[in-house]
Amino acid sequence: MDTDSDRDLLCDLPQSIIESILVKVPLVDAVRTSILSRKWRYKWAAITELVFNDTCLTSGHDKSIISCNLVNFITRCLFLHDGPIHKFELNTSYSPASPDLDQWLLFLSRKDIKELIIDIGEDDWFRAPSCVFFCPKLTHLVLVRCELNPPPNFKGFLCLKHLSLQQVIIPPHDIEILISSCPLLESLTLSYFDSLELTIRAPNLKYLNLEGEFKDIRLENTPHLIGISVAMYMTDDIAEHFEQCSGCNFDKFLGGVPCLERLIGHIYFTKYLSIGNEQGNFPVTYQNLKFIELYQVSFEDMKELLVVLRLIVSSPNLEELQISSSSITTTTDIYDLEFWERDWPADCTFGKLKIVHMTDFSGLPHEIAFIKFLLGHSPVLEQMIVAPTIYVTDKVVKMLIDLLTFRRASPQATVKFIQEPL
């Protein structure tokens, strides 16, 4: 076969096909295709996705030389590039100097950038230049460990659909303005924020991921939210704030998300929702909520228990429930077991619940009563999995006997008692 003809055929492929090939290999290898032939010399320079990571690093032991080589490689790639750049990702353990990063971002702001991801250095921070706020076609923005100050003339990211800010320093008022200035925003991640009181207004938001020391979270105008994951870290300052705040946190956070399909609440989430929550009528029904996962729920705190019950009773189509328990004592009225007969009607049923998984189970009275309640009111339950905490070895046999004797509304329900090894 004629090798030259084969090369011509490869070179004559449409640019879109060549680009689809080049973006699937590490960028450093895509650049190396320039040595294949004269026609291939600048084929790589037209690809619209540039991903710089540690595969672009040269080998060696001198970090300053490795970092300098990386900076030179990125600079050459950008200034030799011909055409629009729709995606730029910089994900490396080596941090470029601020002037270099500022120069790259200014260049990208003029290249129709749509997706921008910056995650550099494990301990280094950078300050995003103002040009980042003037990328009108931006749809995807991920910034890690940076300082962000929107300029006064910032009009918003009108095309942005995905925003992820992790360990970002930004004035509290500005983060709210930034979010509300993205009318098409569908996915929002805020991680490692400290002592933040946050109100989120995002009419098209579908997915929300929050992690940090939040004093207060209010969801307003978020009618299309379908997925929420929240992890709240507690400090003495935040604990004091919780004791002093007024209003119902459950209503402020979950009162306006009727389309919710999936809810994950990590540490202190149920504690936060319990503040101001009272037993009574539940104004919102979550018709689409099928999966709930809650971590470190204190079954010794009746207010937290009421949060769990409110969630599952208000979710008629719930299919899977996962709960891990916490054994931190917070109240003295933990043995009011008449609560289950007195305050919850006998005809309460969970008609779609199929799977329940409880971990760190310690055999507290309300834990046992909660499991009994679910078994007796879940007519299509298929599997109840209970994993005790490692600290209750002396109660294991009694707990197992109790679980096996409870009435089951579902004839096919199985109870699995899984003890983790020490």
Side-chain angles (χ1 to χ4, degrees), residues 239-259:
E240 182 180 354
H241 176 80
F242 278 5
E243 295 298 327
Q244 298 174 353
C245 68
S246 60
C248 178
N249 285 353
F250 193 111
D251 292 339
K252 287 189 292 185
F253 191 79
L254 294 176
V257 288
C259 296

Side-chain angles (χ1 to χ4, degrees), residues 84-290:
I85 299 175
H86 293 159
K87 176 181 179 178
F88 178 88
E89 179 176 348
L90 178 57
N91 190 337
T92 175
S93 54
Y94 290 84
S95 302
S98 293
D100 294 313
L101 185 57
D102 291 352
Q103 185 182 38
W104 300 338
L105 292 173
L106 178 61
F107 179 82
L108 292 167
S109 68
R110 300 167 179 171
K111 299 286 278 186
D112 294 334
I113 188 71
K114 295 181 179 180
E115 187 171 345
L116 179 62
I117 303 171
I118 307 291
D119 183 358
I120 54 175
E122 297 179 356
D123 300 310
D124 296 312
W125 294 64
F126 71 97
R127 182 171 183 174
S130 60
C131 62
V132 169
F133 295 94
F134 299 100
C135 301
K137 296 184 179 181
L138 205 61
T139 62
H140 188 112
L141 177 62
V142 178
L143 298 175
V144 181
R145 288 182 297 277
C146 84
E147 182 179 348
L148 208 55
N149 288 291
N153 57 340
F154 173 59
K155 303 299 182 182
F157 293 117
L158 302 183
C159 297
L160 195 68
K161 293 187 175 182
H162 177 96
L163 175 63
S164 178
L165 304 178
Q166 303 172 41
Q167 294 180 273
V168 170
I169 299 174
I170 181 173
H173 182 62
D174 286 343
I175 183 63
E176 293 186 358
I177 292 177
L178 175 60
I179 294 170
S180 62
S181 299
C182 305
L184 301 182
L185 190 64
E186 296 180 357
S187 174
L188 173 64
T189 296
L190 302 177
S191 297
Y192 302 105
F193 279 74
D194 297 335
S195 301
L196 184 63
E197 296 184 46
L198 179 66
T199 298
I200 296 175
R201 301 176 182 91
N204 288 294
L205 192 64
K206 294 181 179 179
Y207 303 98
L208 177 63
N209 189 341
L210 300 176
E211 181 179 4
E213 298 173 6
F214 293 98
K215 283 186 175 180
D216 198 14
I217 310 170
R218 183 187 296 271
L219 300 182
E220 294 182 358
N221 193 20
T222 56
H224 298 297
L225 259 178
I226 60 176
I228 296 177
S229 176
V230 183
M232 306 182 74
Y233 304 138
M234 188 69 67
T235 64
D236 292 340
D237 181 48
I238 293 177
E240 182 180 354
H241 176 80
F242 278 5
E243 295 298 327
Q244 298 174 353
C245 68
S246 60
C248 178
N249 285 353
F250 193 111
D251 292 339
K252 287 189 292 185
F253 191 79
L254 294 176
V257 288
C259 296
L260 192 62
E261 297 178 5
R262 186 179 180 90
L263 175 65
I264 300 176
H266 295 270
I267 183 171
Y268 292 118
F269 180 64
T270 52
K271 175 65 176 177
Y272 172 76
L273 292 184
S274 72
I275 297 173
N277 182 54
E278 300 292 342
Q279 186 174 352
N281 294 326
F282 305 146
V284 180
T285 299
Y286 306 101
Q287 294 286 354
N288 301 320
L289 187 53
K290 296 182 178 181

Side-chain angles (χ1 to χ4, degrees), residues 357-360 385-391 393 396 417-422:
H357 193 171
M358 292 193 65
T359 57
D360 294 323
I385 301 174
V386 180
T389 177
I390 60 174
Y391 304 110
T393 53
V396 168
F417 196 78
I418 303 175
Q419 186 173 10
E420 298 293 337
L422 292 174

Side-chain angles (χ1 to χ4, degrees), residues 356-382:
V356 176
H357 193 171
M358 292 193 65
T359 57
D360 294 323
F361 178 77
S362 55
L364 295 172
H366 279 302
E367 286 180 332
I368 297 288
F370 180 69
I371 291 177
K372 181 180 180 180
F373 181 68
L374 291 180
L375 285 172
H377 294 80
S378 305
V380 298
L381 187 69
E382 297 175 358

